[in-house]
């Protein structure tokens, strides 16, 4: 019997296609946070990625498929940054660090690199099911990350407190970005930090 082994090494063409795909998703993940789902066009994404508009369908079946992957990337980047930040401080400082980092002036101003919930939350309800599914997973991840930092992790009310905390963080950041008065924006963030449950 003759056994034919398939060449599993990626070809230069396959590697180039993967690199192009990666570039498109990375650009789209920033663009949706910057301009919203409706403000993110295929032609603009492809141009920013340095590719032709016609090459789009070699990578995605539809615009919705690209948006779902971009949303997934935005959520993954944000979750990784939060987890990395929490891991960089002693456990008893994790919640304080997380809250201050999330509601920082830097995070407020860096919409295209920040949390997709604050950037896209109100738009997500009108998106394809794939986009909503990705976002729902991210909400659960963030709630779980907050809950696991609690000193009484495992107690019945920790999960509920984490739900309220994530809702407060996202809502505060959203309102602080919407306000066109810097003093109001600062007051919203300061008030949330004062009243968020650390223990």
């Amino acid at each position: 019997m003759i056994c034919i082994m398939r060449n599993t090494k990626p070809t230069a063409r396959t590697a180039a296609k993967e690199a192009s795909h990666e570039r498109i998703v990375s650009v789209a993940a920033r663009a949706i946070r910057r301009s919203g789902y409706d403000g993110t066009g295929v032609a603009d994404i492809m141009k920013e990625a340095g590719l032709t508009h016609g090459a789009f369908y070699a990578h995605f079946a539809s615009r919705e498929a690209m948006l779902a992957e971009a949303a997934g990337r935005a959520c993954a980047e944000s979750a990784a940054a939060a987890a990395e930040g929490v891991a960089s401080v002693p456990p008893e400082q994790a919640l304080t660090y997380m809250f201050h980092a999330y509601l920082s002036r830097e995070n407020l101003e860096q919409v295209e690199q920040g949390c997709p919930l604050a950037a896209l939350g109100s738009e997500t309800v009108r998106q394809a099911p794939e986009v909503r599914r990705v976002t729902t997973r991210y909400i659960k991840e963030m709630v779980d990350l907050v809950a696991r930092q609690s000193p009484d992790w495992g107690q019945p009310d920790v999960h509920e407190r984490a739900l309220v905390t994530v809702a407060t963080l996202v809502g505060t950041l959203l309102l602080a970005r919407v306000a066109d008065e810097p003093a109001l924006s600062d007051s919203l963030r300061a008030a949330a930090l004062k009243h968020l449950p650390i223990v």
Side-chain angles (χ1 to χ4, degrees):
M1 185 194 293
I2 297 174
C3 182
I4 299 173
M5 296 293 289
R6 227 180 213 184
N7 184 1
T8 56
K9 272 186 150 180
T11 64
R13 185 176 183 182
T14 303
K17 183 175 180 179
E18 288 172 2
S20 294
H21 188 90
E22 175 68 23
R23 217 165 46 245
I24 296 166
V25 174
S26 181
V27 166
R30 287 192 312 273
I32 60 173
R33 287 177 279 187
R34 178 181 62 234
S35 305
Y37 289 113
D38 291 339
T40 300
V42 169
D44 295 331
I45 296 299
M46 297 303 283
K47 182 177 179 181
E48 192 176 333
L51 299 164
T52 65
H53 184 243
F56 176 80
Y57 290 101
H59 296 278
F60 301 97
S62 65
R63 178 177 176 273
E64 289 71 27
M66 178 197 66
L67 291 178
E69 199 166 332
R73 172 66 58 83
C75 291
E77 288 172 355
S78 187
E84 186 178 305
V86 163
S88 72
V89 297
E92 65 276 7
Q93 296 174 14
L95 284 177
T96 300
Y97 175 87
M98 185 186 298
F99 299 164
H100 282 271
Y102 192 89
L103 294 177
S104 69
R105 164 89 27 211
E106 180 182 35
N107 197 34
L108 177 78
E109 293 170 352
Q110 294 182 346
V111 176
E112 71 179 45
Q113 297 169 349
C115 175
L117 296 177
L120 298 162
S122 63
E123 287 185 61
T124 304
V125 70
R126 292 180 293 279
Q127 298 308 306
E130 298 84 2
V131 173
R132 293 187 70 190
R133 194 170 309 116
V134 163
T135 306
T136 299
R137 272 197 308 268
Y138 174 63
I139 294 168
K140 290 178 176 180
E141 279 181 59
M142 293 311 295
V143 168
D144 185 56
L145 181 63
V146 169
R148 283 185 283 122
Q149 308 320 306
S150 176
D152 52 349
W153 167 240
Q155 297 302 312
D157 65 335
V158 170
H159 183 260
E160 186 173 291
R161 210 166 50 236
L163 288 168
V164 171
T165 299
V166 169
T168 301
L169 288 168
V170 172
T172 300
L173 187 59
L174 173 64
L175 293 176
R177 283 178 175 164
V178 167
D180 68 352
E181 297 176 14
L184 176 57
S185 178
D186 290 344
S187 295
L188 285 162
R189 292 181 302 115
L193 288 170
K194 181 179 177 182
H195 294 283
L196 277 165
I198 303 295
V199 179

